[in-house]
Amino acid sequence: MTMQLAGSTNIRQKDGYVTSEMDGELVMLSVENGKYYNLGIVGGQIWQLAQGQGMTVAEIVARLVSEYEVTESQCEQEVAAFVEQMEKAGIIAVER
């Protein structure tokens, strides 16, 4: 079950990860635990958007909807599922 994220929820990268592009997809390595993560194309894009001060969920969804053929509702669900996984892994900060 995916969590509910408000549009104003901010998503921000945590430090300690090295990223690289492989075959168009973003992969990253945790410096702390040595684990690799394949973020895929869209997940990599969300990671890039979450740099610095990060972006709100609404801003991320708007950006993805403008670039991909996806409904806003479907995009919100997919972003929420991805963010939930990334938060559980300790990769991103979710500021509600």
Side-chain angles (χ1 to χ4, degrees):
M1 181 160 173
T2 60
M3 65 180 154
Q4 293 294 325
L5 293 176
S8 60
T9 300
N10 197 65
I11 310 300
R12 185 179 45 81
Q13 291 180 358
K14 286 190 174 180
D15 295 331
Y17 295 90
V18 177
T19 60
S20 180
E21 189 175 309
M22 292 178 61
D23 297 325
E25 296 186 358
L26 194 67
V27 295
M28 66 184 197
L29 168 69
S30 168
V31 175
E32 184 178 312
N33 66 21
K35 287 186 179 178
Y36 277 96
Y37 301 90
N38 182 346
L39 302 181
I41 295 170
V42 178
Q45 197 167 4
I46 294 170
W47 172 257
Q48 297 296 338
L49 293 172
Q51 289 183 34
Q53 296 301 310
M55 285 185 107
T56 67
V57 170
E59 291 169 329
I60 292 170
V61 168
R63 182 77 61 92
L64 296 175
V65 167
S66 73
E67 293 184 32
Y68 297 97
E69 289 186 28
V70 62
T71 65
E72 188 172 333
S73 173
Q74 180 66 32
C75 188
E76 287 171 350
Q77 290 174 12
E78 296 292 332
V79 168
F82 179 78
V83 166
E84 182 176 26
Q85 290 177 337
M86 299 292 280
E87 183 180 30
K88 282 182 183 174
I91 295 169
I92 59 166
V94 177
E95 298 157 351
R96 292 177 173 84

